[in-house]
C-alpha cells in the first residue's frame, strides 16, 4: 500500500479551536513508531501461529486457543473480519507492509465463504453456510464492519472488486432500517435480519452510517450521502446520552438499553468526520470533536477504558485517528498509546505472544481464559495503527 488507508482518509483542513484533553502521565514513556511496528509484527505472528488454520483449511481461523469443547470447527464471521482488518493494517505498515499483501488478499477471499445469497436476501452469515458449516443469521453490525474493511482493502489495492463488494454490503444493511412510524423515535437500524428482532441498535446504525459516508467519499453517489446523514442523525437524536456517549439500543417496546460501549462512540466520531470531509460542513467536524472530547473525558476515568472489550477499543481508536487526521492534536493518540502500552505489559503472555482478557474481552489478564482471534486481531490493529498513523 503506497498510502496508509487511514492516512488517506484525512483531508487537509484547519483545526477547530477547542479545549484538548491533557496528555496522560504515561505518555512520556510511550514507545516510538518503530516499537509499535515491532509489536504489531509479533502480535500478528502469534495470531498466525496459534489461531490461523492454514490455507488447507480455506484460510480460516479458529475461535479460540486452546479450543473449547463447544467451539465450532472455525470462527464466526466477526473474528474472521477482524483478522482481515488486522491484515490490511499490517499491509499498511511503513517500510515492509508489502510482505502482508498476499495475506490480505487471502483474508478477503476467505470472508466470501461466509456470504450466502439466500432467496433474494443475501448477506454475510454469522457462521459459515454449507458445505463448511451450518450457516447463521445476517447481523447488520457484522455486515457493516465487513463493508468498512472491504473499503480499506480497496484503498490499499485499488482493486474495484472490493469497492463493489462494499457497495453490496450497503444494500444488505440498508434492509435493516426500521421505517415503522408507530414506534417511539421512529427509524434506526435493526440488529439482525430476523422477524424476531426487537431492537434498533447504536452499533448497527453508527457503523452503517460510517459505511455509507465512506462509500459516498469513494463514489460520489448521492444515495450514500443521504443514507449516511439520515442514519447518523437518528443515533444522535435517539440514543445520544451526552457528548460522545451513545446508549446501546431502543427496544420496539420503547425501552432503552443504557449500556455504553467505546465502539459506539467511535463510529459516530468517524461518521461525522467523514461527513465533514465530503460536505465541507464544519458543523460535522464540530460534532466529531465534541464527541471525541466528551467520550475521552468519560472513558479515561478509572478502569473504564481498560474494562471495555479490546475489539471495541480498536474500533474506537481507529476512528479517533481518522479525526486526528483533520484535527491535529496529541490528546487522542496519547490515550491510545497509554492503553496500548498497558495492555502490552499486562495482558500479553510473553511466552507465546497471545493476549488474554476477562470473558468480556477486556479487563485484567486471565491466565485461565483462552486467547481469541477477535481480541488478538484487535491488538494487531491497535499496534499497527499507532505504527502507521500514531506519530
Amino acid at each position: 500500500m503506497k498510502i496508509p488507508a487511514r492516512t488517506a482518509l484525512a483531508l487537509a483542513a484547519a483545526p477547530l479551536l477547542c479545549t484538548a484533553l491533557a496528555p496522560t502521565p504515561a505518555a512520556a514513556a510511550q514507545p516510538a513508531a518503530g516499537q509499535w511496528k515491532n509489536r504489531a509484527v509479533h502480535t500478528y505472528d502469534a495470531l498466525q501461529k496459534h489461531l490461523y488454520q492454514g490455507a488447507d483449511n480455506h484460510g480460516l481461523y479458529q475461535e479460540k486457543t486452546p479450543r473449547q469443547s463447544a467451539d465450532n470447527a472455525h470462527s464466526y464471521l466477526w473474528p474472521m473480519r477482524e483478522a482481515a482488518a488486522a491484515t490490511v493494517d499490517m499491509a499498511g505498515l511503513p517500510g515492509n507492509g508489502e510482505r502482508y499483501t498476499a495475506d490480505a488478499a487471502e483474508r478477503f477471499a476467505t470472508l466470501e465463504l461466509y456470504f450466502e445469497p439466500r432467496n433474494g436476501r443475501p448477506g454475510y452469515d454469522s457462521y459459515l453456510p454449507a458445505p463448511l458449516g451450518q450457516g447463521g443469521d445476517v447481523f447488520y453490525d457484522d455486515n457493516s464492519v465487513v463493508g468498512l474493511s472491504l473499503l480499506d482493502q480497496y484503498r490499499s489495492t485499488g482493486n474495484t472488486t472490493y469497492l463493489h463488494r462494499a457497495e453490496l454490503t450497503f444494500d444488505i444493511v440498508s434492509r435493516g432500517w426500521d421505517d415503522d412510524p408507530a414506534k417511539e423515535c421512529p427509524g434506526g437500524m435493526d440488529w439482525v435480519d430476523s422477524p424476531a428482532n426487537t431492537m434498533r441498535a447504536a452499533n448497527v446504525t453508527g457503523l452503517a452510517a460510517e459505511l455509507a459516508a465512506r462509500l459516498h467519499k469513494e463514489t460520489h453517489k448521492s444515495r450514500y450521502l443521504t443514507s449516511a446523514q439520515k442514519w447518523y442523525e437518528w443515533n444522535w437524536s435517539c440514543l445520544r446520552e451526552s457528548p460522545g456517549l451513545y446508549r446501546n439500543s431502543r427496544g420496539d417496546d420503547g425501552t432503552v438499553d443504557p449500556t455504553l460501549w467505546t465502539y459506539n462512540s467511535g463510529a459516530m466520531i468517524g461518521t461525522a468526520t467523514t461527513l465533514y470531509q465530503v460536505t465541507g460542513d464544519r458543523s460535522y467536524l464540530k460534532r466529531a470533536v465534541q464527541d471525541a472530547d466528551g467520550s475521552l473525558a468519560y472513558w479515561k476515568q478509572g478502569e473504564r477504558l481498560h474494562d471495555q472489550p479490546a475489539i471495541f477499543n480498536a474500533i474506537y481508536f481507529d476512528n479517533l485517528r481518522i479525526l486526528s487526521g483533520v484535527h491535529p492534536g496529541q490528546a487522542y493518540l496519547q490515550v491510545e498509546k497509554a492503553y496500548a502500552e498497558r495492555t502490552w505489559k499486562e495482558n500479553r503472555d510473553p511466552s507465546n505472544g497471545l493476549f488474554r482478557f476477562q470473558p468480556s474481552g477486556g479487563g485484567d489478564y486471565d491466565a485461565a481464559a483462552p486467547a481469541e482471534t477477535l481480541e488478538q486481531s484487535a491488538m494487531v490493529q491497535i499496534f499497527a495503527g499507532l505504527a502507521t498513523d500514531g506519530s
Side-chain angles (χ1 to χ4, degrees), residues 177-374:
W177 180 256
D178 191 323
D179 57 4
D180 183 351
K183 292 178 182 175
E184 185 174 348
C185 215
M189 308 290 286
D190 290 344
W191 180 44
V192 60
D193 187 10
S194 168
N197 181 83
T198 60
M199 71 174 185
R200 296 156 289 156
N203 62 349
V204 183
T205 310
L207 291 165
E210 185 168 14
L211 172 63
R214 288 188 53 193
L215 278 169
H216 177 74
K217 185 174 182 179
E218 298 297 341
T219 68
H220 307 293
K221 295 178 182 178
S222 60
R223 70 186 185 118
Y224 297 137
L225 178 59
T226 299
S227 294
Q229 291 172 321
K230 179 171 70 172
W231 300 344
Y232 173 84
E233 293 296 344
W234 187 85
N235 254 9
W236 181 277
S237 300
C238 294
L239 288 175
R240 191 172 189 254
E241 178 177 293
S242 62
L245 301 178
Y246 291 83
R247 290 166 288 186
N248 183 70
S249 59
R250 276 188 174 270
D252 291 346
D253 61 359
T255 59
V256 175
D257 179 348
T259 309
L260 303 173
W261 302 109
T262 47
Y263 75 148
N264 288 337
S265 301
M268 291 295 282
I269 293 165
T271 301
T273 304
T274 307
L275 286 172
Y276 162 65
Q277 292 174 307
V278 299
T279 67
D281 184 343
R282 291 184 67 84
S283 69
Y284 286 120
L285 180 57
K286 182 178 180 180
R287 290 197 201 185
V289 171
Q290 287 176 344
D291 274 0
D293 290 350
S295 63
L296 281 173
Y298 176 84
W299 292 115
K300 283 176 60 179
Q301 293 181 35
E303 296 291 276
R304 286 172 175 167
L305 190 61
H306 175 68
D307 288 342
Q308 284 282 295
I311 188 56
F312 290 2
N313 288 341
I315 294 171
Y316 179 52
F317 293 137
D318 190 31
N319 283 287
L320 285 175
R321 277 185 264 111
I322 292 174
L323 174 59
S324 70
V326 300
H327 177 70
Q330 295 303 305
Y332 309 147
L333 291 174
Q334 293 304 337
V335 173
E336 180 179 7
K337 289 175 180 178
Y339 172 84
E341 178 69 6
R342 177 180 178 181
T343 309
W344 174 266
K345 290 179 178 178
E346 297 182 7
N347 289 87
R348 177 178 176 270
D349 182 347
S351 70
N352 55 28
L354 293 172
F355 286 79
R356 287 181 166 83
F357 299 89
Q358 297 296 305
S360 63
D364 294 340
Y365 181 87
D366 183 350
E372 301 191 28
T373 294
L374 187 66

